[in-house]
Amino acid sequence: MLYGQNFPSLTLKETGLEVKVHGIVAVNEFVHREKEEHVILLTFRAEIAGGELEITRPDEILNIAWVELNRADALMPYYPEGISSIVAKGAEVTYFDEGRI
């Protein structure tokens, strides 16, 4: 994410979809050995609020899919109990975009 961007604006720019963010349901981190980068992943609970799905940056994005939770479980095997189980618990951290301060 670049300076000045937030999750909803980045999602619109990269996917063509407007999203309503409800909260963060998971935080993961790892160190990418080949790139020597520390990566932090935030998994949001969100819903599509408008727009049309399109790949706006084909040089960086191969595929975009908005999937049901059971499909997300298969695509995100790093959650042993499945992302659907995490979402079903209803625990999340509220996401605030406070803009520029």
Side-chain angles (χ1 to χ4, degrees):
M1 193 174 295
L2 299 175
Y3 177 77
Q5 291 180 319
N6 61 26
F7 179 72
S9 68
L10 182 63
T11 302
L12 177 62
K13 179 180 176 182
E14 293 190 352
T15 69
L17 297 175
E18 297 171 24
V19 296
K20 178 180 179 185
V21 178
H22 296 286
I24 299 168
V25 296
V27 178
N28 299 61
E29 68 179 316
F30 66 91
V31 174
H32 193 289
R33 291 183 180 148
E34 290 179 17
K35 295 182 179 181
E36 295 185 359
E37 293 177 340
H38 185 188
V39 179
I40 298 175
L41 305 170
L42 303 174
T43 302
F44 292 88
R45 185 172 72 85
E47 64 183 286
I48 297 172
E52 291 188 33
L53 189 63
E54 67 174 307
I55 296 176
T56 59
R57 300 168 71 179
D59 55 318
E60 296 180 18
I61 301 170
L62 298 175
N63 187 26
I64 299 171
W66 198 271
V67 299
E68 297 295 325
L69 281 173
N70 61 347
R71 178 73 178 125
D73 285 340
L75 295 171
M76 303 167 86
Y78 38 86
Y79 296 115
E81 71 271 31
I83 192 68
S84 62
S85 176
I86 293 170
V87 171
K89 292 176 187 174
E92 62 188 37
V93 176
T94 304
Y95 169 79
F96 293 104
D97 173 19
E98 297 189 31
R100 296 177 187 242
I101 304 176

